[in-house]
């Protein structure tokens, strides 16, 4: 053994030395565990012996520490470490405090046992004991025990020993971190400690002040001069030599002061002017040959970038960055790239001086350096270099396998393409590359945004460019379909674009497009979302063909796909297949009304309150139906008996009631048919069709013969269940649809300060003079840093609404859409900030003419002979046939007086949609052009789905939802 090892083991027993040696000589983890397990058993026996000597107990505690360090449980000895903190022996007390600070945490159950000992030791005459107690205070005192020791800690701030004052400041700082409210009245003590004679105490006070300045910088603006004076004294080497580290004067105090000054000088010109001189002295005097010197320089550059900018300091900081980038040390290069990214926010000219160095870092094999360089390029991107930067980022994204960072790079590429895209074609091609190579990790909002941009365009006024954009997207997606494996999100975008615009320009036939879509559905048969998008795209293609008067020739593979989806386990796919099957069997006029071409940009007004059902609801209530019960009441938040009688409202009581029970009343004899049940007089009778759909059933009802008897029965209707979720009778229900709105991101511009001296560029170029620069690298540098130095952002203040059919255009006239020239001119005058193309929120709700009654339009579709005219330009509707009125006026014989067809009314059937469908079948006219498919057994009515779809589309709701069934029960 060497002399140090002999000194280490001199005061320990032979057993302890053998333990250390045997663990060090272990050949495997199992052997080490066996030795430690045997030692634990030995310690459990030794610690229970009476009258253990001071030397032995100290060795036992150290052994426990060693066992814990090896990852084993030594909790059986914690109490013994707490006990020796009560000893008067100085060595044992220090060992005890060291052990408990390592063994316990601030919420441990044994903490309460040492609070009294800490209180006593904080008043000790030995400053060594006081320091040991303060160390334990910083680690073990929690929020509940702070008041017990706070007075003693505050008193120690004036102790004669600087070590005690320093540890008292640290303890008070710890109290502030755990419970700011408990020491909020003592923060002035941190200000006083800045004037302490000992630099160590002053340096300890900087840490809590940094936390306070981070929370509220304005309250400490008056300390700027004090911090600058302290920093100036440190830089001028007025501190003792023992504070130097590698010949740097108190570098850690300098770093903390620079961080505080950066916070105080941010956006404050007056406060920043006091810092300029000392910051220049630090840059001039710091030693760049050592790591600690470079650390101080880097922190100084961060401070310069945070405070109010000064041209001279920016020039000096650029010189330091040039030295960092010229270094062969990767750590210094990384630091230079990071510092350059901070200064580039103030002046883009600084980056142009170091363009060759940036290119070298971009081609560096070190992956961390390359990622940091991409961060710099992201900050310096503009319209003149966006193509080069995004292409390099996509190439790097393809080469990495880290999904997390790949998603990060993909989001940056999309963001840059959205802000600085030079052309629409380049934007679509770039987003396609991102989806193709990173589609599985790209946010789904990007896909929705891409579809919206293709549909609405980028604000072009030329219709030729507008149609060329869509045709270019269709052709690019047809080429991409040849790839072996494509992400699911990207395939959804492809199916949507091919369905909307695949046959728009007439270049590709409907048979060709339908074949491509069937191939997609077959190739990705396990993905239900892709198949759903594919079948919807087929529906659009066939609908456009039928509306144009052309005959639909369905391919055999499409026929087999539809038959397969009709028997699918997915109800969504079944619904889409049924809709497609029914659609191609209708005439051209109905199909054009149901699915107009290019209707994806038409504004949709949603009646969230479903006000068009108010008449039906009121009519049902007058007939005896129960009113709607809110959800909070149904879940038991209000008194359940309040709905049995609206005139008698009782608050919900949780206490005991001592009133006598009310004598039950015999039920009234029912006046309806003998087969119906008998209810109490306070419960309205409900037709059988509605009653069968009630969610709350009375299980105690008897048979028909028992209903009319005078036997007393329990009235359970409306009573909350004792166990399980309470349910209540509800005759109406509503569905609300909400939309999300995302604010548009804005960008801020910072004016460029005075141009930086070009000597850094000359020095860097002279160093590289002997190295021949390849033409490719020169061209890349010119592409990245050439052009205007001011950031340019593509203005996209308007979106052009695609031109749909004439009727769709007339209907949308007067609404606030983006295609009106007058409004475009107003927008240019107002100078709105450029919209975020990734903003997927709902467009501004336009206020237009009153919505057309969907029931009236349904009547037109079902019976064209009905004399009702609609003014599409103004939204006025005349001679509207109210279906609800028709239903109300129906005679008992089931014949309508004005409609020409009957809607039978009975207590057994109130399915309005079913009756409307039967009525529609009786008055349908105009044979369809397309050859209808054979009807499925599961969906016997061929026009039912399409008629409901027309209702839904007029209301702006997803057609896959059965809306009327939800609304009318």
């Amino acid at each position: 053994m060497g002399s140090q090892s002999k000194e280490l083991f001199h005061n320990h027993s032979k057993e302890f030395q053998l333990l250390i040696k045997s663990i060090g000589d272990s050949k495997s983890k199992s052997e080490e565990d066996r030795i430690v397990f045997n030692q634990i058993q030995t310690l459990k026996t030794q610690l229970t012996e009476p009258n253990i000597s001071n030397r032995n107990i100290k060795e036992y505690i150290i052994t426990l520490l060693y066992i814990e360090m090896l990852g084993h449980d030594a909790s059986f000895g914690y109490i013994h470490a707490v006990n020796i903190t009560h000893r008067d022996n100085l060595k044992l007390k220090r060992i005890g405090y060291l052990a408990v600070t390592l063994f316990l945490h601030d919420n441990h159950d044994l903490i309460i046992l040492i609070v009294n000992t800490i209180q006593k030791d904080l008043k000790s005459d030995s400053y060594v004991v006081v320091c040991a107690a303060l160390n334990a205070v910083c680690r073990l005192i929690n929020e509940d025990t702070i008041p017990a020791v706070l007075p003693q800690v505050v008193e120690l701030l004036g102790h004669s020993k600087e070590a005690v004052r320093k540890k008292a400041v640290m303890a008070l700082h710890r109290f502030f971190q755990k419970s700011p409210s408990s020491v909020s009245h003592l923060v002035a003590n941190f200000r006083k400690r800045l004037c302490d004679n000992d630099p160590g105490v002053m340096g300890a006070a900087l840490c809590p002040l940094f936390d306070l300045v981070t929370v509220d910088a304005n309250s400490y603006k008056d300390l700027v001069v004090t911090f600058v004076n302290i920093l100036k004294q440190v830089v001028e080497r007025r501190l003792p030599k023992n504070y130097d580290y590698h010949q740097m004067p108190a570098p850690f105090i300098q770093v903390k002061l620079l961080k505080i000054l950066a916070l105080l000088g941010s956006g404050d010109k007056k406060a920043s002017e006091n810092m300029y001189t000392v910051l220049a002295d630090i840059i001039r005097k710091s030693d760049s040959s050592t790591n600690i010197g470079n650390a101080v320089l880097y922190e100084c550059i961060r401070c310069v970038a945070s405070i109010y900018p000064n041209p001279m300091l920016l020039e000096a900081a650029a010189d330091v960055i040039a030295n960092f980038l010229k270094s062969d040390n990767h750590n210094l290069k990384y630091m230079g790239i990071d510092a350059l990214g901070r200064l580039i926010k103030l002046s883009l000219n600084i980056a142009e001086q170091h363009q060759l160095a940036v290119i070298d870092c971009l081609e560096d094999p070190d992956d961390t350096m390359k990622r940091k360089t991409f961060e710099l390029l992201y900050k310096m991107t503009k319209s003149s270099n966006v193509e080069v930067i995004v292409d390099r980022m996509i190439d790097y994204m393809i080469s990495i396998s880290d999904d997390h960072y790949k998603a990060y790079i993909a989001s940056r590429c999309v963001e840059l393409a959205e802000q600085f895209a030079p052309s629409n074609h380049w934007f679509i091609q770039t987003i396609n590359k991102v989806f193709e190579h990173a589609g599985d990790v790209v946010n789904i909002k990007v896909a929705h945004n891409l579809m919206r941009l293709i549909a609405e365009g980028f604000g072009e006024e030329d219709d030729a460019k507008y149609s060329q954009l869509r045709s270019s997207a269709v052709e690019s997606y047809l080429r991409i379909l040849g790839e072996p494996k494509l992400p699911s999100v990207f395939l959804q975008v492809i199916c949507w674009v091919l369905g909307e615009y695949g046959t728009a320009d007439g270049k590709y036939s409907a048979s060709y497009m339908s074949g491509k879509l069937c191939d997609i559905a077959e190739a990705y048969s396990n993905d239900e979302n892709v198949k759903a998008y594919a079948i919807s795209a087929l529906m659009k293609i066939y609908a456009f063909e039928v509306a144009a008067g052309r005959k639909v020739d369905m391919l055999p593979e499409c026929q087999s796909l539809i038959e397969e989806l009709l028997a699918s386990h997915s109800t969504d796919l079944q619904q889409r297949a049924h809709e497609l099957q029914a659609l191609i069997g209708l005439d051209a006029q109905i199909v054009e009304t149901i699915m107009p071409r290019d209707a994806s940009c038409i504004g949709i007004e949603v009646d969230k309150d479903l006000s068009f059902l108010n008449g039906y609801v009121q009519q049902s209530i007058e007939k005896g139906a129960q009113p709607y019960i809110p959800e909070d009441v149904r879940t038991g938040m209000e008194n359940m008996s309040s709905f049995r009688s609206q005139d008698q409202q009782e608050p919900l009581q949780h206490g005991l009631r001592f009133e006598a029970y009310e004598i039950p009343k015999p039920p009234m004899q029912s006046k309806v048919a003998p087969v119906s049940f008998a209810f109490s007089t306070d419960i309205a009778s409900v037709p059988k069709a509605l009653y069968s759909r009630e969610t709350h059933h009375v299980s105690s009802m008897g048979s028909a013969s028992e209903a009319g008897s005078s036997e007393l029965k329990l009235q359970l209707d409306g009573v909350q269940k004792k166990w399980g979720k309470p349910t209540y009778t509800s005759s109406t229900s509503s569905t609300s649809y909400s939309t999300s709105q995302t604010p548009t991101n804005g960008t801020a511009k910072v004016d460029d300060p005075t141009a930086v001296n070009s000597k850094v560029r000359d020095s860097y170029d002279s160093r590289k003079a002997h190295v021949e620069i390849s033409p490719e690298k020169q061209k890349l540098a010119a592409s990245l840093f050439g052009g205007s130095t001011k950031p340019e952002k593509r203005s996209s203040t308007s979106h052009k609404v695609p031109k749909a059919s004439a009727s769709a255009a007339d209907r949308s006239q007067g609404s606030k859409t983006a295609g009106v020239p007058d409004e475009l001119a107003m927008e240019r005058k107002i100078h709105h900030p450029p919209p975020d193309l990734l903003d997927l929120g709902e467009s501004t709700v336009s206020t237009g003419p009153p919505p057309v009654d969907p029931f009236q339009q349904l009547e037109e579709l079902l019976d064209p002979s009905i004399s009702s005219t609609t003014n599409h330009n103004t939204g006025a509707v005349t001679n509207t046939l109210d279906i609800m009125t028709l239903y109300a006026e129906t005679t008992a014989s089931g014949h309508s007086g004005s409609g020409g067809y009957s809607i039978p009314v009975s207590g057994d059937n109130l399915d309005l949609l079913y009756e409307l469908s039967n009525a529609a079948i009786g008055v349908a006219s105009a044979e369809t052009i397309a050859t209808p498919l054979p009807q499925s057994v599961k969906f016997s009515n061929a026009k039912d789905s399409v008629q409901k779809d027309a209702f839904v589309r007029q209301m702006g709701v997803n057609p896959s939802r059965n809306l009327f069934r939800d609304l009318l029960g």
Side-chain angles (χ1 to χ4, degrees):
M1 289 185 179
S3 58
Q4 294 181 356
S5 300
K6 290 181 179 179
E7 182 67 22
L8 178 63
F9 291 105
H10 177 69
N11 294 326
H12 294 285
S13 64
K14 185 176 180 180
E15 291 79 7
F16 184 78
Q17 297 179 21
L18 290 176
L19 173 65
I20 302 299
K21 186 176 183 302
S22 60
I23 292 177
D25 294 340
S26 299
K27 302 300 181 181
S28 63
K29 185 66 169 62
S30 59
E31 184 179 355
E32 176 187 308
D33 294 342
R34 179 180 54 81
I35 296 173
V36 173
F37 180 77
N38 293 335
Q39 183 63 33
I40 289 175
Q41 302 302 321
T42 303
L43 278 175
K44 288 181 179 180
T45 303
Q46 293 173 342
L47 289 172
T48 56
E49 295 177 355
N51 301 326
I52 305 175
S53 64
N54 291 343
R55 177 181 177 181
N56 289 340
I57 190 63
K58 182 181 70 172
E59 188 172 282
Y60 296 159
I61 298 300
I62 294 176
T63 305
L64 288 174
L65 288 173
Y66 194 54
I67 291 173
E68 283 271 335
M69 289 169 57
L70 293 175
H72 297 270
D73 182 24
S75 58
F76 64 91
Y78 289 175
I79 187 62
H80 301 282
V82 173
N83 289 336
I84 66 173
T85 59
H86 307 326
R87 302 284 186 94
D88 295 332
N89 186 284
L90 180 59
K91 290 185 178 181
L92 285 181
K93 186 178 288 292
R94 294 185 66 185
I95 289 293
Y97 276 128
L98 175 64
V100 295
T101 53
L102 296 177
F103 286 155
L104 309 181
H105 53 81
D106 55 358
N107 291 322
H108 200 277
D109 296 337
L110 297 177
I111 294 298
I112 194 64
L113 300 179
I114 62 174
V115 173
N116 291 334
T117 304
I118 291 176
Q119 288 178 323
K120 183 185 69 174
D121 291 339
L122 289 177
K123 299 178 182 179
S124 176
D125 296 333
S126 174
Y127 79 95
V128 179
V129 175
V130 175
C131 289
L134 286 174
N135 288 337
V137 165
C138 294
R139 289 295 303 270
L140 301 179
I141 296 301
N142 54 31
E143 185 177 357
D144 297 332
T145 54
I146 285 177
V149 297
L150 183 59
Q152 291 91 332
V153 173
V154 175
E155 184 179 353
L156 292 175
L157 292 174
H159 199 274
S160 58
K161 285 291 184 178
E162 61 275 3
V164 176
R165 297 200 301 271
K166 178 180 177 181
K167 292 184 180 296
V169 171
M170 296 170 61
L172 203 61
H173 181 206
R174 187 61 174 167
F175 293 163
F176 173 77
Q177 291 178 338
K178 291 185 176 181
S179 178
S181 59
S182 62
V183 294
S184 58
H185 60 289
L186 301 173
V187 294
N189 291 279
F190 300 135
R191 289 172 173 260
K192 296 178 181 179
R193 291 306 100 194
L194 288 176
C195 304
D196 198 281
N197 295 328
D198 185 75
V201 180
M202 181 271 300
L206 294 177
C207 296
L209 285 173
F210 173 73
D211 291 348
L212 292 170
V213 171
T214 303
V215 176
D216 183 15
N218 294 327
S219 300
Y220 298 89
K221 293 284 187 179
D222 58 322
L223 293 178
V224 171
V225 178
T226 302
F227 290 132
V228 170
N229 290 333
I230 295 174
L231 184 58
K232 186 176 180 180
Q233 296 179 42
V234 174
V235 175
E236 294 176 354
R237 297 180 180 272
R238 298 185 184 181
L239 269 64
K241 286 290 184 181
N242 56 351
Y243 286 94
D244 290 355
Y245 180 77
H246 287 275
Q247 300 180 357
M248 280 291 295
F252 302 104
I253 293 179
Q254 290 190 53
V255 169
K256 186 63 69 175
L257 285 170
L258 288 172
K259 289 183 177 180
I260 295 175
L261 292 177
L263 294 174
L264 294 176
S266 178
D268 191 337
K269 184 177 181 180
K270 182 178 180 181
S272 300
E273 289 175 351
N274 296 324
M275 310 174 191
Y276 291 156
T277 303
V278 67
L279 293 177
D281 291 343
I282 293 176
I283 295 176
R284 185 176 66 256
K285 295 180 179 180
S286 294
D287 183 12
S288 60
S289 61
T290 59
N291 286 335
I292 191 64
N294 290 324
V296 174
L297 285 173
Y298 171 72
E299 197 62 46
C300 187
I301 294 175
R302 292 186 59 185
C303 183
V304 169
S306 299
I307 65 176
Y308 193 84
N310 177 266
M312 299 299 295
L313 285 178
L314 291 176
E315 181 180 349
D319 293 341
V320 176
I321 291 175
N323 293 330
F324 287 161
L325 295 176
K326 288 187 294 185
S327 174
D328 295 331
N329 190 336
H330 278 70
N331 293 328
L332 294 182
K333 280 187 176 182
Y334 183 93
M335 201 159 53
I337 292 293
D338 183 78
L340 188 61
R342 296 178 185 276
L343 290 185
I344 205 174
K345 299 177 182 178
L346 304 177
S347 175
L348 290 174
N349 297 329
I350 298 178
E352 295 183 6
Q353 301 176 28
H354 311 289
Q355 50 185 317
L356 294 179
V358 172
I359 297 301
D360 290 339
C361 295
L362 189 62
E363 298 175 353
D364 195 282
D366 189 349
D367 195 60
T368 305
M369 178 70 64
K370 190 177 296 185
R371 293 186 179 186
K372 198 64 179 179
T373 307
F374 277 122
E375 286 293 323
L376 174 63
L377 294 179
Y378 168 77
K379 296 176 182 178
M380 55 180 286
T381 303
K382 48 190 177 182
S383 58
S384 60
N385 60 8
V386 63
E387 298 183 45
V388 180
I389 292 178
V390 171
D391 289 343
R392 296 298 293 265
M393 294 177 71
I394 290 177
D395 293 340
Y396 177 68
M397 180 188 67
I398 298 173
S399 63
I400 61 178
S401 57
D402 185 0
D403 288 343
H404 175 74
Y405 195 67
K406 180 178 288 188
Y408 177 76
I409 292 291
S411 64
R412 289 298 177 93
C413 291
V414 172
E415 184 178 351
L416 293 179
E418 179 270 331
Q419 292 182 0
F420 304 104
S423 65
N424 301 334
H425 179 74
W426 179 88
F427 175 80
I428 293 178
Q429 296 299 326
T430 301
I431 301 300
N432 289 347
K433 288 182 182 179
V434 173
F435 272 118
E436 185 176 354
H437 299 288
D440 294 331
V441 295
V442 177
N443 195 330
I444 187 64
K445 294 181 179 180
V446 179
H448 296 162
N449 185 53
L450 177 60
M451 291 187 286
R452 181 173 64 87
L453 292 178
I454 295 176
E456 297 180 356
F458 295 86
E460 300 93 338
E461 298 294 339
D462 189 1
D463 292 339
K465 293 183 178 179
Y466 194 63
S467 59
Q468 183 181 1
L469 170 65
R470 297 176 172 179
S471 300
S472 175
V474 171
E475 292 179 358
S476 64
Y477 291 148
L478 289 177
R479 290 194 302 268
I480 293 174
L481 284 178
E483 298 295 331
K485 182 65 177 177
L486 294 174
S488 176
V489 178
F490 193 29
L491 286 169
Q492 296 173 22
V493 176
I494 292 175
C495 291
W496 186 86
V497 172
L498 294 182
E500 286 282 346
Y501 312 111
T503 59
D505 56 357
K507 186 176 180 180
Y508 300 100
S509 64
S511 300
Y512 178 79
M513 282 298 169
S514 59
K516 288 291 184 180
L517 292 170
C518 291
D519 292 341
I520 295 175
E522 182 180 358
Y524 300 89
S525 58
N526 295 329
D527 195 332
E528 291 188 359
N529 292 328
V530 174
K531 294 172 71 174
Y533 270 81
I535 195 68
S536 296
L538 285 173
M539 185 187 305
K540 294 176 184 178
I541 291 176
Y542 289 141
F544 299 155
E545 290 295 305
V546 172
R550 293 186 290 268
K551 185 177 181 180
V552 175
D553 294 329
M554 183 171 293
L555 299 177
E557 51 266 30
C558 296
Q559 177 69 36
S560 60
L561 174 63
I562 295 174
E563 293 176 356
E564 176 188 351
L565 296 183
L566 288 174
S568 174
H569 294 288
S570 172
T571 56
D572 179 58
L573 295 178
Q574 281 190 27
Q575 177 75 14
R576 294 172 189 262
H578 281 301
E579 291 175 358
L580 173 58
Q581 188 184 50
L583 180 71
I584 62 177
L586 301 176
D587 57 18
Q589 182 180 1
I590 296 179
V591 172
E592 185 178 3
T593 305
I594 294 173
M595 297 190 68
R597 179 180 288 274
D598 201 7
S600 58
C601 299
I602 297 178
I604 298 174
E605 295 183 2
V606 179
D607 186 4
K608 297 181 180 180
D609 297 330
L610 303 179
S611 57
F612 62 92
L613 290 175
N614 291 341
Y616 175 76
V617 173
Q618 183 64 29
Q619 186 179 10
S620 300
I621 293 177
E622 292 176 357
K623 291 183 178 181
Q626 293 185 1
Y628 173 73
I629 302 176
E631 184 179 1
D632 55 348
V633 179
R634 276 179 283 158
T635 54
M637 296 179 62
E638 295 184 8
N639 188 10
M640 303 308 167
S641 62
S642 61
F643 289 94
R644 296 179 61 85
S645 176
Q646 296 182 0
D647 298 331
Q648 298 178 358
Q649 296 288 340
E650 295 181 1
L652 182 63
Q653 299 179 359
H654 298 284
L656 296 176
R657 300 180 59 181
F658 300 96
E659 301 92 346
Y661 286 113
E662 181 182 358
I663 300 176
K665 299 178 181 180
M668 299 295 295
Q669 292 293 336
S670 176
K671 296 182 180 181
V672 297
V675 296
S676 62
F677 293 104
F679 289 88
S680 176
T681 56
D682 58 340
I683 302 297
S685 60
V686 184
K688 182 177 180 181
L690 290 181
Y691 180 76
S692 62
R693 290 190 292 270
E694 298 288 351
T695 58
H696 179 77
H697 297 280
V698 181
S699 61
S700 60
M701 291 299 176
S703 60
S705 59
E706 297 173 350
S709 64
S710 61
E711 181 183 356
L712 296 180
K713 294 184 180 292
L714 292 177
Q715 301 180 13
L716 300 180
D717 187 67
V719 179
Q720 183 179 4
K721 294 180 180 180
K722 182 65 177 177
W723 294 277
K725 187 175 180 180
T727 55
Y728 292 88
T729 302
S730 176
S731 60
T732 61
S733 62
S734 63
T735 305
S736 63
Y737 302 91
S738 62
T739 58
S740 62
Q741 190 170 6
T742 306
T744 302
N745 297 332
T747 56
K749 295 185 179 180
V750 181
D751 295 336
D752 294 343
T754 307
V756 185
N757 198 325
S758 61
K759 64 179 181 179
V760 179
R761 185 194 319 164
D762 298 336
S763 62
Y764 184 77
D765 293 342
S766 61
R767 187 183 70 87
K768 292 288 186 178
H770 64 280
V771 181
E772 182 179 357
I773 302 175
S774 62
E776 182 181 356
K777 184 178 295 186
Q778 292 179 357
K779 183 177 179 180
L780 177 60
S783 301
L784 291 176
F785 300 91
S788 175
T789 59
K790 293 184 179 181
E792 301 177 8
K793 298 218 172 176
R794 201 160 56 85
S795 177
S796 178
T797 58
S798 64
H799 294 282
K800 182 177 180 181
V801 178
K803 293 181 173 57
S805 60
S807 60
D810 294 338
R811 287 194 300 270
S812 61
Q813 183 178 0
S815 62
K816 294 182 179 181
T817 57
V820 183
D822 295 338
E823 295 186 12
L824 285 176
M826 290 299 295
E827 288 183 3
R828 295 192 182 98
K829 293 179 180 179
I830 297 175
H831 296 289
H832 290 294
D836 188 0
L837 296 181
L838 290 179
D839 182 9
L840 301 176
E842 185 187 34
S843 58
T844 306
V845 179
S846 60
T847 59
V852 181
D853 188 1
F855 292 98
Q856 186 271 336
Q857 292 189 353
L858 176 65
E859 293 298 320
E860 291 182 354
L861 293 178
L862 297 179
D863 192 358
S865 62
I866 295 177
S867 58
S868 61
T869 60
T870 304
N871 190 344
H872 296 289
N873 294 329
T874 61
V877 181
T878 60
N879 300 331
T880 303
L881 179 59
D882 191 351
I883 293 183
M884 296 305 172
T885 306
L886 180 65
Y887 166 70
E889 296 176 356
T890 305
T891 60
S893 61
H895 297 282
S896 173
S898 61
Y901 52 87
S902 62
I903 301 178
V905 178
S906 66
D908 297 332
N909 193 353
L910 286 180
D911 193 343
L912 183 59
L913 287 177
Y914 179 77
E915 301 299 338
L916 290 176
S917 301
N918 293 339
I921 295 174
V923 298
S925 62
E927 297 182 357
T928 59
I929 299 175
T931 303
L933 291 175
Q935 297 294 332
S936 173
V937 178
K938 298 182 181 180
F939 202 76
S940 59
N941 195 335
K943 299 184 180 181
D944 191 7
S945 175
V946 179
Q947 292 156 359
K948 288 186 286 185
D949 187 21
F951 276 49
V952 173
R953 289 186 178 278
Q954 292 294 336
M955 298 172 61
V957 187
N958 189 342
S960 64
R961 299 287 304 272
N962 196 333
L963 181 63
F964 277 75
R965 181 171 301 170
D966 295 337
L967 298 181
L968 306 180

